[in-house]
Amino acid sequence: MKFIYFDIDTLRPDHLSCYGYGRSTPNMDALAADSVLFTNAYASNTPCMPSRASVFTGCFGLTNGVETHGKAALSVDTPPETALARVITWNKAQAVTVSSFGRHPAPWFYNGFSHVIDPSYRSRAENFQRFSGSAVNEAAMEYLDGFKGGDLFLHLHYWDPHGPLTPPPEWIDYGYEPDTSGVSQKQLDGLTGSALYRGGLHANVHDRNDLAELIRRYDAEIRYTDHLIGQMCAYLKERGWYKDSVLVLSADHGEQYGEAQMILEHGTVHDSCIHIPLLLKLPNGERAGTVCTDPVYGLDIAPTAVRALGMKAPENWDGIALQDLLDKKEKPRAYLVCEHGLYTCQRAVLKEGWKLVHTFSPGIWDFPEFALYNTEADRTESTDVKERYPKKLEQMKRLEKEWLEQVLQGAPDRLAQLGAADAQHGMQVAKRITQQIREQNNTLLGRADR
């Protein structure tokens, strides 16, 4: 059995045509036609390191200890023998990652992999994020050309949709006008005049045309990555492996393009950040072309992988095997809880069209301690309705408390502690860059006055 995990950085599902977007992503559409498409998949923890720690440990950030970046993210508290790759290799399968993510000095990322292939060095990339996804495919195919058989878990990580947006020029489509309607004119006016980190002055967005151009380049990165997914699927078909393999396509998080006070960043629990695509292709066309609306997490990929490889998931994992959910062996979750701990410290509770956002630290931005959104009526999460629905607010708070009791088992709330100390790793970066932008802006204004 081969389990192949396409891990696409910073990929929003609402920019894929299989999720209803107006721009074509034909290769991901073809994979979706062979897969179960999950419409309510969310990253339990964001951004990059917390998200991948949740997948590779099978546990929430509150359990594994990774809620932010920096030194606090270099180790995990979960037992090393329960790491996803360790479970796989100890059961005599190959676990292979093709990713530059390991250049973060985090041993938990490597734990258990039989092969760690970093294409950034062979691409002479000065920065671990700045190399083409074509290098991932080249390295993956080189490994697979020499593969001797047996069970395999293959993790393929593509940075391309992550900022800064530098798509190959031939993939930029100037023949359409990107949709910016998710950002109201009031929101845009606030952003374009903002000297905050990832505000308009920092992101060089001065009007709606600038925002549209950013989205155009984001779409180009996605179209290019779609091309790379098509290459890998074609390779698997040529080798006769595609039909019998399990394939998963997902993301660590999304990206903000004007939503929730930021541009070209993933710094909150807004849906633009935490809602992720999730496709699951099962062997031999099983459940091909079906849609699952049950709420699921990205960390469910871990038990899904070991289930596909005929192995048993460790008891400490927080995820569920998606196959068991589809086969009705697992009950759907009643609600989801998602956390962010890099720029803000926020926790979201999502249940049946409602979303509670609990902010422990707003960072340098303007977020209330609690906000409530009716996400069915307000998909852009622009109107806080907690004053209008006080009973719903209290109900959602109770769900947060219930979840904490289940997960923490008496342990402290690490996210609350992080926020109380304003210790999220991105805080100092955001403050420093904001101060620089303000000083530069004041200098320019002073020159204009003379």
Side-chain angles (χ1 to χ4, degrees), residues 52-63:
R52 289 195 175 82
S54 72
V55 174
F56 286 106
T57 65
C59 296
F60 296 120
L62 286 182
T63 304

Side-chain angles (χ1 to χ4, degrees), residues 354-374:
W354 292 91
K355 184 175 189 177
L356 171 74
V357 176
H358 185 177
T359 299
F360 298 95
S361 170
I364 61 172
W365 296 271
D366 179 25
F367 296 106
E369 181 181 7
F370 290 99
L372 180 69
Y373 300 102
N374 182 339

Side-chain angles (χ1 to χ4, degrees), residues 21 23 172-179 212 215-217 219-220:
Y21 194 51
R23 306 302 300 164
I172 302 174
D173 183 359
Y174 293 101
Y176 80 108
E177 186 63 25
D179 182 10
I215 295 173
R216 188 191 311 279
R217 299 180 75 83
D219 286 346

Side-chain angles (χ1 to χ4, degrees), residues 64-359:
N64 65 41
V66 181
E67 291 276 12
T68 188
H69 285 187
K71 291 182 179 179
L74 297 186
S75 61
V76 294
D77 294 338
T78 45
E81 65 272 15
T82 65
L84 170 60
R86 182 85 74 95
V87 171
I88 291 169
T89 52
W90 277 14
N91 280 279
K92 304 188 183 306
Q94 296 289 314
V96 181
T97 176
V98 184
S99 170
S100 70
F101 198 80
R103 280 178 71 177
H104 284 296
W108 55 259
F109 181 85
Y110 302 104
N111 181 20
F113 278 104
S114 49
H115 295 76
V116 177
I117 303 170
D118 185 348
S120 60
Y121 291 110
R122 58 198 284 163
S123 303
R124 299 186 178 184
E126 292 297 324
N127 183 295
F128 69 94
Q129 298 178 352
R130 311 289 184 263
F131 68 95
S132 168
S134 62
V136 174
N137 282 5
E138 178 185 336
M141 291 178 191
E142 183 178 290
Y143 171 80
L144 290 171
D145 283 345
F147 183 63
K148 301 302 183 182
D151 291 334
L152 171 68
F153 172 86
L154 176 61
H155 169 242
L156 303 178
H157 175 212
Y158 301 87
W159 275 108
D160 300 80
H162 193 292
L165 303 172
T166 56
E170 63 270 24
W171 292 96
I172 302 174
D173 183 359
Y174 293 101
Y176 80 108
E177 186 63 25
D179 182 10
T180 62
S181 62
V183 180
S184 71
Q185 191 58 46
K186 181 180 179 181
Q187 289 173 311
L188 185 64
D189 290 343
L191 282 163
T192 56
S194 173
L196 295 179
Y197 173 82
R198 294 306 186 191
L201 297 181
H202 185 207
N204 201 28
V205 172
H206 306 289
D207 54 32
R208 196 168 291 276
N209 288 335
D210 291 339
L211 180 60
E213 183 57 27
L214 270 185
I215 295 173
R216 188 191 311 279
R217 299 180 75 83
Y218 179 61
D219 286 346
E221 294 280 21
I222 293 172
R223 291 178 69 224
Y224 175 60
T225 308
D226 178 79
H227 164 71
L228 298 174
I229 298 302
Q231 280 187 341
M232 281 306 304
C233 288
Y235 174 88
L236 295 171
K237 289 174 181 177
E238 289 170 6
R239 296 294 302 266
W241 292 340
Y242 180 86
K243 182 180 178 182
D244 297 335
S245 297
V246 176
L247 274 60
V248 164
L249 185 148
S250 192
D252 55 344
H253 53 72
E255 189 79 307
Q256 289 155 282
Y257 283 95
E259 304 93 351
Q261 305 180 49
M262 297 186 205
I263 303 171
L264 203 62
E265 192 52 272
H266 27 275
T268 69
V269 290
H270 191 277
D271 262 22
S272 58
C273 298
I274 64 173
H275 188 204
I276 57 175
L278 181 55
L279 306 178
L280 170 64
K281 189 204 83 68
L282 296 166
N284 303 312
E286 182 183 349
R287 299 185 184 274
T290 60
V291 174
C292 180
T293 60
D294 294 335
V296 297
Y297 289 115
L299 61 78
D300 291 333
I301 292 169
T304 300
V306 298
R307 169 83 156 70
L309 294 167
M311 304 168 188
K312 185 178 179 181
E315 292 184 1
N316 70 312
W317 282 7
D318 295 314
I320 59 175
L322 297 175
Q323 303 95 320
D324 291 341
L325 181 67
L326 296 169
D327 292 341
K328 310 298 183 186
K329 295 178 182 177
E330 287 276 0
K331 292 182 179 179
R333 294 182 177 93
Y335 59 92
L336 297 178
V337 179
C338 305
E339 298 181 328
H340 177 88
L342 180 58
Y343 293 110
T344 62
C345 282
Q346 293 184 325
R347 178 178 293 132
V349 182
L350 301 92
K351 179 178 173 62
E352 297 174 349
W354 292 91
K355 184 175 189 177
L356 171 74
V357 176
H358 185 177
T359 299

